[in-house]
Amino acid sequence: LPPQRVFLLMTLRPYQQQALEAVRDAYRRGHRSALVVMPTGTGKTVLFAEISRLAKGPVLVIAHRQELVEQARDKIAAWCKDVVAVEMADRREFTDEGFVRPDGTKPKIAVASIQSLQKRLSRMPKNAFKIVVVDEAHHATADSYRAILAHFDAYLLGVTATPDRADRVPLGEVFETVAFDY
């Protein structure tokens, strides 16, 4: 007999589905940027993986550390069952010649480090992405993030477990609405 394959049925948890609908609703109401606040371990990456899968165009996910870039890439690739490009250090899978899938197309989703994006921003068109996701969105008020976010003409989604910053700079300076707070 051939070996049996096990297929995992991946579905959102009820509160993740609520978060997804809240983000959609925020965009439908005319907001271009929304924040989702969920505690550590509740599946923020799964949420933005599903949003990326459903998006009608390319998605960029920004993270501030190599470990977070790699974790996001792995989880999004598994969730979406697709290749996810990485822009970090010497990896240029979205910019330059980029990475190409076996069918000859470029990946729909890219995960990038903030540091690499700063250096490569001039090579990325303003309309390169439909959605830009900021993982650990409490960093989004930093000048480095603001410059990158201002460059792209895209919907913005921030996800964080810690919406209160030590420097007291309000995230409302970057995100128009808190779409969901779990």
Side-chain angles (χ1 to χ4, degrees):
L1 294 174
Q4 292 184 352
R5 290 186 167 167
V6 176
F7 292 97
L8 298 176
L9 179 60
M10 296 194 296
T11 60
L12 295 178
R13 295 174 183 149
Y15 62 85
Q16 291 168 320
Q17 185 65 43
Q18 291 170 350
L20 171 66
E21 293 305 322
V23 170
R24 285 177 161 165
D25 187 53
Y27 293 156
R28 281 187 205 114
R29 289 191 327 257
H31 295 291
R32 296 281 297 170
S33 60
L35 182 67
V36 170
V37 180
M38 291 171 42
T40 301
T42 57
K44 292 179 291 295
T45 307
V46 168
L47 172 66
F48 64 74
E50 178 66 359
I51 288 170
S52 299
R53 187 183 73 76
L54 295 171
K56 302 290 188 216
V59 176
L60 171 65
V61 177
I62 303 171
H64 71 284
R65 292 193 336 254
Q66 178 179 351
E67 173 188 357
L68 295 174
V69 169
E70 297 291 346
Q71 285 176 359
R73 189 236 18 237
D74 292 347
K75 190 159 280 188
I76 295 167
W79 186 266
C80 296
K81 296 175 183 62
D82 200 359
V83 174
V84 176
V86 172
E87 284 290 320
M88 179 176 61
D90 62 345
R91 295 174 70 178
R92 299 170 186 273
E93 297 172 1
F94 191 85
T95 57
D96 299 340
E97 61 279 349
F99 180 85
V100 179
R101 293 186 191 119
D103 68 1
T105 61
K106 285 184 100 172
K108 173 184 168 188
I109 306 163
V111 180
S113 72
I114 188 73
Q115 299 85 356
S116 293
L117 280 177
Q118 286 178 289
K119 296 172 188 164
R120 301 173 192 171
L121 201 57
S122 65
R123 288 184 251 157
M124 294 184 151
K126 290 186 176 294
N127 65 349
F129 300 100
K130 180 80 171 176
I131 300 173
V132 174
V133 177
V134 180
D135 193 9
E136 304 287 335
H138 52 278
H139 294 289
T141 60
D143 291 342
S144 56
Y145 278 82
R146 287 183 191 228
I148 289 168
L149 298 176
H151 174 80
F152 292 111
D153 180 23
Y155 286 94
L156 176 60
L157 173 64
V159 295
T160 187
T162 53
D164 299 317
R165 292 178 46 92
D167 64 6
R168 303 215 182 267
V169 176
L171 292 178
E173 291 185 10
V174 176
F175 301 100
E176 296 172 43
T177 186
V178 177
F180 188 78
D181 189 349
Y182 184 64

